[in-house]
Coordinates of all heavy atoms in Angstrom, one line a residue:
A1 N 0.8 -1.2 0.0 CA 0.0 0.0 0.0 C 0.9 1.3 0.0 O 0.6 2.2 -0.7 CB -0.9 0.0 1.2
L2 N 1.9 1.2 0.8 CA 2.8 2.4 0.9 C 3.6 2.6 -0.4 O 3.7 3.7 -0.9 CB 3.8 2.3 2.0 CG 4.7 3.5 2.4 CD1 3.8 4.7 2.7 CD2 5.6 3.1 3.5
R3 N 4.0 1.5 -1.1 CA 4.7 1.7 -2.4 C 3.8 2.3 -3.4 O 4.2 3.2 -4.2 CB 5.1 0.3 -2.9 CG 6.0 0.3 -4.1 CD 6.3 -1.0 -4.6 NE 5.2 -1.8 -5.1 CZ 5.3 -3.1 -5.4 NH1 6.4 -3.8 -5.2 NH2 4.3 -3.7 -5.9
S4 N 2.5 1.9 -3.4 CA 1.6 2.5 -4.3 C 1.4 4.0 -4.0 O 1.3 4.8 -4.9 CB 0.2 1.8 -4.2 OG -0.8 2.4 -5.1
A5 N 1.4 4.3 -2.7 CA 1.2 5.7 -2.4 C 2.4 6.6 -2.7 O 2.3 7.8 -3.0 CB 0.9 5.8 -0.9
F6 N 3.6 6.0 -2.9 CA 4.8 6.7 -3.2 C 4.9 7.1 -4.7 O 5.7 8.0 -5.1 CB 6.0 5.9 -2.8 CG 6.4 5.9 -1.4 CD1 7.3 5.0 -0.9 CD2 5.9 6.8 -0.5 CE1 7.7 5.0 0.4 CE2 6.2 6.8 0.8 CZ 7.2 5.9 1.3
T7 N 4.1 6.5 -5.5 CA 4.1 6.8 -7.0 C 3.3 8.0 -7.3 O 2.4 8.4 -6.5 CB 3.6 5.6 -7.8 OG1 2.2 5.4 -7.4 CG2 4.4 4.3 -7.5
G8 N 3.7 8.7 -8.4 CA 3.0 9.9 -8.8 C 3.5 11.1 -8.2 O 2.8 12.1 -8.2
S9 N 4.7 11.1 -7.7 CA 5.4 12.3 -7.2 C 4.6 13.0 -6.0 O 4.4 14.2 -6.1 CB 5.7 13.3 -8.3 OG 6.5 12.8 -9.3
P10 N 4.2 12.3 -5.1 CA 3.5 12.9 -3.9 C 4.4 13.6 -3.0 O 5.6 13.4 -3.1 CB 2.8 11.7 -3.2 CG 3.8 10.6 -3.5 CD 4.3 10.8 -4.8
R11 N 3.8 14.4 -2.2 CA 4.6 15.1 -1.1 C 4.5 14.1 0.1 O 3.4 13.9 0.6 CB 4.0 16.4 -0.8 CG 4.0 17.4 -1.9 CD 3.1 18.6 -1.6 NE 1.7 18.2 -1.5 CZ 0.7 19.1 -1.2 NH1 1.0 20.4 -1.1 NH2 -0.5 18.6 -1.2
V12 N 5.6 13.6 0.6 CA 5.7 12.6 1.6 C 6.4 13.2 2.8 O 7.5 13.8 2.7 CB 6.5 11.4 1.2 CG1 6.6 10.4 2.3 CG2 5.8 10.7 0.0
V13 N 5.8 13.1 4.0 CA 6.4 13.4 5.2 C 6.6 12.1 6.0 O 5.6 11.4 6.3 CB 5.5 14.4 6.1 CG1 6.1 14.6 7.4 CG2 5.4 15.7 5.3
V14 N 7.8 11.9 6.4 CA 8.2 10.7 7.2 C 8.4 11.2 8.6 O 9.3 12.0 8.9 CB 9.4 10.0 6.7 CG1 9.8 8.8 7.6 CG2 9.2 9.5 5.2
I15 N 7.7 10.7 9.6 CA 7.8 11.1 11.0 C 8.6 10.0 11.7 O 8.1 8.9 11.8 CB 6.4 11.3 11.7 CG1 5.6 12.3 10.9 CG2 6.6 11.7 13.1 CD1 4.2 12.4 11.4
G16 N 9.8 10.3 12.0 CA 10.7 9.3 12.6 C 11.9 9.0 11.7 O 11.7 8.8 10.5
T17 N 13.1 9.1 12.3 CA 14.3 9.0 11.4 C 15.2 7.8 11.9 O 16.4 7.9 11.8 CB 15.1 10.3 11.5 OG1 15.5 10.5 12.9 CG2 14.4 11.5 10.9
G18 N 14.5 6.7 12.3 CA 15.2 5.5 12.6 C 15.4 4.7 11.4 O 15.3 5.2 10.3
W19 N 15.6 3.4 11.6 CA 15.9 2.5 10.4 C 14.7 2.4 9.4 O 14.9 2.5 8.2 CB 16.3 1.1 11.0 CG 17.5 1.1 11.8 CD1 17.5 1.0 13.2 CD2 18.8 1.4 11.4 NE1 18.8 1.1 13.6 CE2 19.6 1.4 12.5 CE3 19.4 1.7 10.1 CZ2 21.0 1.6 12.5 CZ3 20.8 1.9 10.1 CH2 21.6 1.8 11.3
I20 N 13.5 2.2 9.9 CA 12.4 2.1 9.0 C 12.2 3.5 8.3 O 11.9 3.5 7.1 CB 11.1 1.7 9.8 CG1 11.3 0.2 10.3 CG2 9.9 1.8 8.8 CD1 11.4 -0.8 9.2
G21 N 12.2 4.6 9.0 CA 12.0 5.9 8.4 C 13.0 6.2 7.4 O 12.6 6.7 6.3
T22 N 14.3 5.9 7.7 CA 15.3 6.3 6.7 C 15.2 5.4 5.4 O 15.4 5.8 4.3 CB 16.7 6.2 7.3 OG1 16.9 5.0 8.0 CG2 16.9 7.4 8.3
E23 N 15.0 4.1 5.6 CA 14.8 3.2 4.5 C 13.6 3.6 3.6 O 13.7 3.5 2.4 CB 14.8 1.7 4.9 CG 16.1 1.2 5.5 CD 16.1 -0.3 5.8 OE1 15.0 -0.9 5.7 OE2 17.1 -0.8 6.3
A24 N 12.5 3.9 4.3 CA 11.3 4.3 3.6 C 11.5 5.6 2.8 O 11.1 5.8 1.7 CB 10.1 4.4 4.5
A25 N 12.3 6.5 3.4 CA 12.5 7.8 2.7 C 13.4 7.5 1.5 O 13.1 8.2 0.4 CB 13.3 8.7 3.7
A26 N 14.4 6.6 1.5 CA 15.1 6.3 0.4 C 14.3 5.7 -0.7 O 14.4 6.0 -1.9 CB 16.3 5.3 0.8
A27 N 13.3 4.8 -0.3 CA 12.4 4.3 -1.3 C 11.5 5.3 -1.9 O 11.2 5.3 -3.1 CB 11.6 3.1 -0.7
A28 N 11.0 6.2 -1.1 CA 10.1 7.3 -1.6 C 10.9 8.1 -2.6 O 10.3 8.5 -3.7 CB 9.6 8.1 -0.5
R29 N 12.1 8.5 -2.4 CA 12.9 9.3 -3.3 C 13.1 8.4 -4.6 O 13.1 9.0 -5.7 CB 14.2 9.7 -2.7 CG 14.1 10.7 -1.6 CD 13.5 12.1 -2.2 NE 14.4 12.6 -3.2 CZ 14.0 13.2 -4.3 NH1 12.7 13.3 -4.6 NH2 14.9 13.6 -5.2

């Protein structure tokens, strides 16, 4: 579900900069 949400150049805010947050931010970019 999150991967689908990352498509289409959305504005993404990641709350939390631990391992999951940083890996997800890299995927979103």
Side-chain angles (χ1 to χ4, degrees):
L2 187 59
R3 185 181 73 189
S4 178
F6 281 167
T7 61
S9 302
R11 298 166 298 178
V12 175
V13 173
V14 179
I15 304 172
T17 58
W19 298 108
I20 294 297
T22 50
E23 288 184 1
R29 288 297 299 140

